[in-house]
Short mmCIF file of all heavy atoms in Angstrom, two decimals:
data_model
loop_
_atom_site.label_atom_id
_atom_site.label_comp_id
_atom_site.label_asym_id
_atom_site.label_seq_id
_atom_site.Cartn_x
_atom_site.Cartn_y
_atom_site.Cartn_z
N ALA A 334 -117.73 -15.05 -141.73
CA ALA A 334 -118.20 -14.99 -140.31
C ALA A 334 -118.52 -13.52 -139.78
O ALA A 334 -119.56 -13.45 -139.10
CB ALA A 334 -116.98 -15.52 -139.37
N ALA A 335 -117.84 -12.52 -140.17
CA ALA A 335 -118.11 -11.16 -139.76
C ALA A 335 -119.49 -10.69 -140.33
O ALA A 335 -120.22 -10.17 -139.63
CB ALA A 335 -117.02 -10.25 -140.19
N GLN A 336 -119.66 -11.18 -141.55
CA GLN A 336 -121.09 -10.82 -142.25
C GLN A 336 -122.23 -11.48 -141.37
O GLN A 336 -123.31 -11.10 -141.44
CB GLN A 336 -121.02 -11.30 -143.76
CG GLN A 336 -120.16 -10.36 -144.43
CD GLN A 336 -119.90 -10.81 -145.84
OE1 GLN A 336 -120.23 -11.99 -146.21
NE2 GLN A 336 -119.48 -9.89 -146.81
N GLU A 337 -121.93 -12.63 -140.83
CA GLU A 337 -122.99 -13.43 -140.04
C GLU A 337 -123.06 -13.03 -138.67
O GLU A 337 -123.76 -13.50 -137.96
CB GLU A 337 -122.63 -14.92 -140.17
CG GLU A 337 -122.77 -15.46 -141.67
CD GLU A 337 -122.32 -16.82 -141.79
OE1 GLU A 337 -121.88 -17.53 -140.69
OE2 GLU A 337 -122.26 -17.34 -142.95
N GLY A 338 -122.03 -12.12 -138.35
CA GLY A 338 -122.13 -11.54 -136.89
C GLY A 338 -121.36 -12.28 -135.89
O GLY A 338 -121.55 -12.14 -134.65
N TRP A 339 -120.38 -13.05 -136.20
CA TRP A 339 -119.52 -13.70 -135.31
C TRP A 339 -117.94 -13.68 -135.67
O TRP A 339 -117.66 -13.16 -136.76
CB TRP A 339 -119.89 -15.14 -135.08
CG TRP A 339 -119.90 -16.04 -136.31
CD1 TRP A 339 -120.86 -15.97 -137.39
CD2 TRP A 339 -118.95 -17.01 -136.65
NE1 TRP A 339 -120.50 -16.92 -138.33
CE2 TRP A 339 -119.33 -17.69 -137.92
CE3 TRP A 339 -117.75 -17.50 -136.03
CZ2 TRP A 339 -118.63 -18.64 -138.42
CZ3 TRP A 339 -117.15 -18.61 -136.59
CH2 TRP A 339 -117.56 -19.02 -137.89
N VAL A 340 -117.16 -14.05 -134.84
CA VAL A 340 -115.74 -14.00 -135.15
C VAL A 340 -115.18 -15.54 -135.08
O VAL A 340 -115.35 -16.25 -134.21
CB VAL A 340 -114.80 -13.16 -134.08
CG1 VAL A 340 -113.46 -13.31 -134.35
CG2 VAL A 340 -115.47 -11.86 -134.01
N ARG A 341 -114.41 -15.82 -136.21
CA ARG A 341 -113.88 -17.08 -136.47
C ARG A 341 -112.50 -17.33 -135.87
O ARG A 341 -111.61 -16.48 -136.18
CB ARG A 341 -113.91 -17.41 -137.91
CG ARG A 341 -113.42 -18.82 -138.39
CD ARG A 341 -113.36 -18.90 -139.85
NE ARG A 341 -112.13 -18.27 -140.37
CZ ARG A 341 -110.98 -18.95 -140.34
NH1 ARG A 341 -110.87 -20.16 -139.94
NH2 ARG A 341 -109.96 -18.27 -140.82
N GLY A 342 -112.34 -18.30 -134.97
CA GLY A 342 -111.05 -18.58 -134.41
C GLY A 342 -110.28 -19.55 -135.30
O GLY A 342 -110.97 -20.32 -136.05
N ASP A 343 -108.97 -19.41 -135.44
CA ASP A 343 -108.21 -20.35 -136.29
C ASP A 343 -106.81 -20.49 -135.76
O ASP A 343 -106.04 -19.64 -135.67
CB ASP A 343 -108.10 -19.65 -137.80
CG ASP A 343 -107.51 -20.50 -138.74
OD1 ASP A 343 -106.90 -21.54 -138.41
OD2 ASP A 343 -107.54 -20.17 -140.00
N ARG A 344 -106.65 -21.69 -135.35
CA ARG A 344 -105.36 -22.16 -134.80
C ARG A 344 -104.20 -22.35 -135.86
O ARG A 344 -103.05 -22.32 -135.44
CB ARG A 344 -105.37 -23.50 -134.08
CG ARG A 344 -106.22 -23.49 -132.73
CD ARG A 344 -106.43 -24.77 -132.14
NE ARG A 344 -107.03 -24.78 -130.85
CZ ARG A 344 -106.34 -24.86 -129.64
NH1 ARG A 344 -105.00 -25.02 -129.63
NH2 ARG A 344 -107.00 -24.62 -128.58
N SER A 345 -104.62 -22.25 -137.00
CA SER A 345 -103.66 -22.42 -138.24
C SER A 345 -103.53 -21.12 -138.95
O SER A 345 -103.00 -21.14 -140.08
CB SER A 345 -103.91 -23.57 -139.06
OG SER A 345 -105.28 -23.41 -139.67
N ARG A 346 -103.86 -20.02 -138.35
CA ARG A 346 -103.87 -18.74 -138.97
C ARG A 346 -102.24 -18.30 -139.19
O ARG A 346 -101.47 -18.72 -138.50
CB ARG A 346 -104.41 -17.87 -138.17
CG ARG A 346 -104.72 -16.49 -138.76
CD ARG A 346 -105.40 -15.54 -137.72
NE ARG A 346 -106.80 -15.89 -137.37
CZ ARG A 346 -107.87 -15.64 -138.04
NH1 ARG A 346 -107.78 -15.06 -139.16
NH2 ARG A 346 -109.06 -16.06 -137.66
N GLY A 347 -102.12 -17.57 -140.37
CA GLY A 347 -100.77 -17.02 -140.61
C GLY A 347 -100.76 -15.67 -140.12
O GLY A 347 -101.81 -15.09 -139.79
N PHE A 348 -99.55 -14.98 -140.15
CA PHE A 348 -99.34 -13.79 -139.59
C PHE A 348 -98.29 -12.96 -140.40
O PHE A 348 -97.46 -13.39 -141.00
CB PHE A 348 -98.76 -13.90 -138.16
CG PHE A 348 -99.52 -14.76 -137.26
CD1 PHE A 348 -99.27 -16.05 -137.19
CD2 PHE A 348 -100.56 -14.26 -136.61
CE1 PHE A 348 -100.06 -16.96 -136.32
CE2 PHE A 348 -101.41 -15.05 -135.76
CZ PHE A 348 -101.10 -16.32 -135.64
N ARG A 349 -98.54 -11.54 -140.29
CA ARG A 349 -97.52 -10.66 -140.81
C ARG A 349 -96.96 -9.73 -139.78
O ARG A 349 -97.73 -9.27 -138.98
CB ARG A 349 -98.40 -9.66 -141.85
CG ARG A 349 -97.52 -8.64 -142.54
CD ARG A 349 -96.77 -9.03 -143.71
NE ARG A 349 -95.99 -8.03 -144.26
CZ ARG A 349 -94.92 -8.09 -144.89
NH1 ARG A 349 -94.43 -9.30 -145.11
NH2 ARG A 349 -94.21 -7.19 -145.36
N LEU A 350 -95.72 -9.62 -139.67
CA LEU A 350 -95.15 -8.81 -138.71
C LEU A 350 -94.44 -7.75 -139.43
O LEU A 350 -93.67 -7.87 -140.40
CB LEU A 350 -93.98 -9.61 -138.10
CG LEU A 350 -94.44 -10.87 -137.03
CD1 LEU A 350 -94.55 -12.12 -137.91
CD2 LEU A 350 -93.51 -10.92 -135.98
N GLU A 351 -94.49 -6.63 -138.79
CA GLU A 351 -93.86 -5.31 -139.35
C GLU A 351 -93.24 -4.42 -138.20
O GLU A 351 -93.94 -4.30 -137.14
CB GLU A 351 -94.88 -4.41 -140.05
CG GLU A 351 -95.40 -5.14 -141.32
CD GLU A 351 -96.24 -4.19 -142.12
OE1 GLU A 351 -96.85 -3.18 -141.62
OE2 GLU A 351 -96.50 -4.50 -143.37
N HIS A 352 -92.06 -4.06 -138.42
CA HIS A 352 -91.32 -3.23 -137.51
C HIS A 352 -91.23 -1.82 -138.09
O HIS A 352 -90.49 -1.65 -139.03
CB HIS A 352 -89.88 -3.84 -137.29
CG HIS A 352 -89.01 -3.01 -136.30
ND1 HIS A 352 -87.79 -3.58 -135.96
CD2 HIS A 352 -89.25 -1.86 -135.72
CE1 HIS A 352 -87.20 -2.63 -135.15
NE2 HIS A 352 -88.03 -1.58 -134.90
N TRP A 353 -91.90 -0.90 -137.53
CA TRP A 353 -91.99 0.50 -137.97
C TRP A 353 -91.37 1.44 -137.01
O TRP A 353 -91.50 1.27 -135.84
CB TRP A 353 -93.41 0.93 -138.27
CG TRP A 353 -94.05 0.42 -139.48
CD1 TRP A 353 -94.80 -0.79 -139.52
CD2 TRP A 353 -93.92 0.96 -140.75
NE1 TRP A 353 -95.24 -1.00 -140.84
CE2 TRP A 353 -94.72 0.16 -141.67
CE3 TRP A 353 -93.46 2.21 -141.31
CZ2 TRP A 353 -94.93 0.33 -143.00
CZ3 TRP A 353 -93.57 2.46 -142.67
CH2 TRP A 353 -94.29 1.54 -143.49
N GLU A 354 -90.66 2.46 -137.57
CA GLU A 354 -90.11 3.64 -136.78
C GLU A 354 -90.65 4.80 -137.30
O GLU A 354 -90.83 5.06 -138.37
CB GLU A 354 -88.60 3.45 -136.89
CG GLU A 354 -87.89 4.42 -135.84
CD GLU A 354 -86.41 4.12 -135.68
OE1 GLU A 354 -86.03 3.20 -135.22
OE2 GLU A 354 -85.71 4.97 -136.32
N TYR A 355 -90.95 5.67 -136.23
CA TYR A 355 -91.61 6.98 -136.54
C TYR A 355 -90.83 8.13 -135.80
O TYR A 355 -90.25 7.95 -134.82
CB TYR A 355 -93.07 6.97 -135.97
CG TYR A 355 -93.85 5.87 -136.30
CD1 TYR A 355 -93.96 4.63 -135.78
CD2 TYR A 355 -94.64 5.91 -137.62
CE1 TYR A 355 -94.80 3.56 -136.12
CE2 TYR A 355 -95.49 4.90 -138.03
CZ TYR A 355 -95.53 3.82 -137.36
OH TYR A 355 -96.35 2.69 -137.76
N ASP A 356 -91.14 9.33 -136.35
CA ASP A 356 -90.72 10.50 -135.78
C ASP A 356 -91.54 10.71 -134.45
O ASP A 356 -92.77 10.80 -134.55
CB ASP A 356 -90.87 11.75 -136.70
CG ASP A 356 -90.35 13.07 -136.17
OD1 ASP A 356 -90.06 13.06 -134.95
OD2 ASP A 356 -90.30 13.92 -136.88
N ALA A 357 -90.91 10.80 -133.29
CA ALA A 357 -91.65 10.93 -132.08
C ALA A 357 -92.59 12.18 -131.98
O ALA A 357 -93.62 12.15 -131.34
CB ALA A 357 -90.69 10.89 -130.92
N ASP A 358 -92.15 13.17 -132.62
CA ASP A 358 -92.94 14.39 -132.63
C ASP A 358 -94.25 14.44 -133.37
O ASP A 358 -95.15 15.12 -133.25
CB ASP A 358 -92.16 15.57 -133.03
CG ASP A 358 -90.98 15.99 -132.12
OD1 ASP A 358 -91.12 15.59 -130.85
OD2 ASP A 358 -90.00 16.54 -132.54
N ARG A 359 -94.17 13.41 -134.33
CA ARG A 359 -95.41 13.17 -135.29
C ARG A 359 -96.35 12.07 -134.81
O ARG A 359 -97.41 11.95 -135.37
CB ARG A 359 -94.96 13.09 -136.74
CG ARG A 359 -94.28 14.28 -137.29
CD ARG A 359 -93.96 13.92 -138.73
NE ARG A 359 -93.30 15.03 -139.31
CZ ARG A 359 -93.84 16.06 -139.96
NH1 ARG A 359 -95.14 16.12 -140.04
NH2 ARG A 359 -93.15 16.97 -140.52
N ILE A 360 -96.09 11.35 -133.89
CA ILE A 360 -96.76 10.13 -133.63
C ILE A 360 -98.19 10.40 -133.20
O ILE A 360 -98.96 9.43 -133.48
CB ILE A 360 -95.92 9.23 -132.56
CG1 ILE A 360 -96.20 7.78 -132.75
CG2 ILE A 360 -96.25 9.72 -131.20
CD1 ILE A 360 -95.17 6.83 -132.24
N ASP A 361 -98.42 11.48 -132.54
CA ASP A 361 -99.92 11.62 -132.18
C ASP A 361 -100.62 12.39 -133.28
O ASP A 361 -101.81 12.68 -132.98
CB ASP A 361 -99.81 12.34 -130.73
CG ASP A 361 -99.45 11.57 -129.67
OD1 ASP A 361 -99.65 10.39 -129.76
OD2 ASP A 361 -98.82 12.18 -128.74
N GLY A 362 -99.99 12.83 -134.21
CA GLY A 362 -100.76 13.67 -135.13
C GLY A 362 -101.23 12.95 -136.43
O GLY A 362 -101.10 11.75 -136.61
#
Side-chain angles (χ1 to χ4, degrees):
Q336 290 170 344
E337 294 172 1
W339 59 285
V340 178
R341 185 183 77 84
D343 187 349
R344 290 176 174 259
S345 61
R346 191 180 294 278
F348 306 93
R349 176 81 178 153
L350 292 89
E351 293 184 342
H352 176 176
W353 283 92
E354 189 170 284
Y355 305 93
D356 181 349
D358 292 337
R359 293 186 182 271
I360 208 160
D361 290 329

